[in-house]
Amino acid sequence: MSMFLNVLFGFVLPWIIGGTYLLKKGRKILILIFPFSSMLAFTINQFGFHFGLWSLMPRMNKSFSALPFDLGLYPIQACLMIIAITNFPRIRCNPYWFIVANAFLVTFAEWVYLKFGMVVYGHGWNIIGTFVSYLVPLVLVYLYFNLIKQYVN
C-alpha cells in the first residue's frame, strides 16, 4: 500500500497536475531543468538513506521507494518554480521568495508523510533539516537556470 501511495503522490499526481502543464506551456523548462533537478533529488536521497537520516516506506529497497519522487514530485516542482519565477517578474518579487515558498510547500508535504509514518527520521534528523535539504537544491536549480539561460534562446 505504501508503494502505491508513493507512486500516486510522488509520480502520478505531479505528472498529471504539473507535467501536463509543462508539456504544453513549459517544454523548454522541462527539458532543461528536469534532468538536473532529478539528479539532485536522487543524490540527496541516496545521501540521506546511506547515512540513515531518513527512511521512506516501504523499506524493501530505499532507492526504489524514493524513485517516484525523484522522477516526479521534486523535478516537476522545480520546473514549476522556474516557470513561476520567469513568468512573474512584473510582481517585482525577489525570486528567492519563490524558492523559499517552494521549499516550505514540499517540506509540508513531507511533514504529512512523517505524521502518517511513511517517512521515518534517524540520527537526529528533523523537519528543519528537511527544509534545508529542499531549500539548497532549489537554490542550485535556480542558479543552474541562470547559468544555462544565456546559452538557450
Side-chain angles (χ1 to χ4, degrees):
M1 182 64 171
S2 57
M3 192 62 195
F4 171 77
L5 294 175
N6 291 352
V7 171
L8 179 66
F9 293 124
F11 188 80
V12 174
L13 289 178
W15 272 102
I16 288 172
I17 296 167
T20 53
Y21 174 80
L22 289 167
L23 287 169
K24 290 179 185 175
K25 305 263 183 179
R27 193 169 293 193
K28 188 183 289 187
I29 295 295
L30 184 68
I31 291 168
L32 294 172
I33 300 301
F34 189 94
F36 182 73
S37 56
S38 182
M39 181 269 313
L40 282 175
F42 181 78
T43 302
I44 289 167
N45 271 328
Q46 292 307 305
F47 178 83
F49 293 144
H50 178 75
F51 289 104
L53 300 177
W54 57 79
S55 181
L56 182 63
M57 300 302 161
R59 292 186 186 175
M60 62 186 176
N61 181 323
K62 296 173 186 178
S63 298
F64 187 68
S65 297
L67 194 59
F69 296 96
D70 295 341
L71 296 175
L73 178 66
Y74 304 140
I76 293 291
Q77 183 229 359
C79 291
L80 292 173
M81 178 192 74
I82 294 298
I83 294 277
I85 289 170
T86 57
N87 286 340
F88 299 111
R90 64 185 173 273
I91 296 175
R92 298 178 195 230
C93 182
N94 186 327
Y96 289 98
W97 286 112
F98 283 100
I99 296 168
V100 170
N102 275 275
F104 270 120
L105 181 69
V106 79
T107 300
F108 176 75
E110 183 163 319
W111 177 81
V112 171
Y113 249 55
L114 184 66
K115 290 301 173 190
F116 282 101
M118 297 291 293
V119 174
V120 177
Y121 292 161
H123 299 292
W125 192 257
N126 57 36
I127 201 73
I128 294 168
T130 297
F131 174 75
V132 172
S133 77
Y134 289 128
L135 182 65
V136 170
L138 289 173
V139 168
L140 291 174
V141 165
Y142 178 66
L143 294 174
Y144 173 74
F145 173 72
N146 282 330
L147 177 70
I148 63 170
K149 74 179 179 183
Q150 64 186 342
Y151 300 108
V152 179
N153 290 334

